[in-house]
Amino acid sequence: MSRPVVAALVGVFSLAACAAEGDRSPQPASADAPAAAARTTQARTGGDADAAARARTVVEGLVPQVPVDSVADAALPGFQEVMIAGQLLYVSNDGKYLIQGSVLDVEARRDLTEASKAVVRREVLSGMDRDRRIVFAPENPVHTVTVFTDIECGYCRQLHREIEAYNAQGIAVEYLFFPRSGLDGEAYREAVSVWCADDRRAAMTAAKAGRPVPERTCENPVADDFAAGQRIGVEGTPAIFNEDGRQIGGYIPPVQMRQRLDALAASRDSAG
């Protein structure tokens, strides 16, 4: 998540001014995280491998508790872009400078940072099987959105109350779980019960309406959904992403969402 990364970086540079550097040995990550990060780095880095490795080392040294997701050549000359918990950082090829913030292409009037984030989000989301989602879709959808949702979130419930209206606008809604209280709270247990229900769509609708869902457990994707949300920087729910990996907002009424999706699609098509 981006706020802890920001806070960690601020803390690193503040402490460096008044104290010697302490032990920054990386904390253990999940078994799959290093391999996934390496695969993404290999896929997205096509230039200076030494600069990429140097940028990874710099960021891992500053924020050892958060795994680096990917490193790639930046559009900003002389820099690598490093994706970490949904936050994009820029590290100079010599490893001396780190920039945090948006890089804008003035001539093209384009946010290059957001475009790079979208690439990583799309990679993460495309790796999550559709049969591991709860889907509400019209017969022939024009657009598909991925929605990270929390059972108890007020705006998530508002969105679901209008699910038929989104479908009428040609929008398919594919839910992933993001229990904001983490993996040991009531929202997590409710998400598991919804997934393990005989009819997941009916259970989701009941839970979103505040009606009780029988508590059940089974093999489920809730923890994987939560980890994916953390990796792409989800901080609140609902978090809505289009098929290109663009975050289009939180709750958006059905007509406005269709308009926004149409505009993004038109922009993509015009860009070739």
Side-chain angles (χ1 to χ4, degrees):
M1 293 168 286
S2 61
R3 287 198 183 100
V5 172
V6 173
L9 288 172
V10 170
V12 166
F13 292 114
S14 297
L15 288 172
C18 60
E21 186 174 12
D23 180 13
R24 298 189 184 279
S25 302
Q27 297 180 6
S30 68
D32 293 336
R39 286 195 300 272
T40 306
T41 300
Q42 292 167 2
R44 300 191 63 229
T45 300
D48 189 338
D50 289 339
R54 193 175 297 116
R56 176 182 288 276
T57 299
V58 167
V59 175
E60 288 178 341
L62 293 173
V63 196
Q65 68 272 27
V66 184
V68 169
D69 288 314
S70 69
V71 183
D73 294 336
L76 186 64
F79 281 80
Q80 300 290 307
E81 57 182 34
V82 182
M83 179 66 76
I84 177 170
Q87 182 80 2
L88 199 63
L89 307 174
Y90 297 91
V91 179
S92 61
N93 287 346
D94 61 10
K96 291 183 178 180
Y97 303 102
L98 183 148
I99 299 173
Q100 181 182 336
S102 294
V103 173
L104 308 178
D105 183 328
V106 176
E107 183 176 353
R109 295 183 179 275
R110 184 166 178 254
D111 187 333
L112 299 178
T113 301
E114 178 58 28
S116 291
K117 287 182 178 180
V119 170
V120 175
R121 293 172 187 148
R122 185 170 65 246
E123 290 174 355
V124 172
L125 295 177
S126 65
M128 306 184 73
D129 293 340
R130 196 168 186 267
D131 62 4
R132 303 278 282 179
R133 303 172 180 225
I134 299 179
V135 178
F136 291 80
E139 185 173 347
N140 296 299
V142 179
H143 300 289
T144 299
V145 294
T146 298
V147 180
F148 284 87
T149 192
D150 179 290
I151 297 295
E152 299 177 346
C153 152
Y155 279 112
C156 299
R157 291 185 171 188
Q158 177 63 33
L159 187 153
H160 195 74
R161 280 195 291 269
E162 300 177 76
I163 198 69
E164 292 182 358
Y166 290 104
N167 290 169
Q169 288 292 325
I171 302 170
V173 176
E174 300 189 350
Y175 282 122
L176 298 175
F177 289 106
F178 193 82
R180 295 172 299 171
S181 57
L183 301 181
D184 57 358
E186 183 62 27
Y188 169 74
R189 289 188 288 274
E190 288 178 331
V192 171
S193 294
V194 166
W195 180 263
C196 296
D198 293 332
D199 186 334
R200 293 168 184 157
R201 285 162 46 95
M204 176 71 87
T205 297
K208 293 287 189 180
R211 299 195 300 272
V213 173
E215 186 169 346
R216 298 181 66 176
T217 59
C218 65
E219 192 277 330
N220 66 83
V222 178
D224 290 340
D225 291 356
F226 185 72
Q230 288 183 308
R231 185 177 173 192
I232 65 175
V234 172
E235 295 182 346
T237 54
I240 306 172
F241 299 87
N242 77 346
E243 293 172 280
D244 294 332
R246 300 272 184 174
Q247 183 167 4
I248 64 173
Y251 167 76
I252 307 171
V255 172
Q256 286 87 338
M257 184 183 289
R258 174 60 190 264
Q259 292 171 342
R260 190 167 299 184
L261 291 167
D262 284 345
L264 286 170
S267 175
R268 177 192 61 221
D269 293 342
S270 65

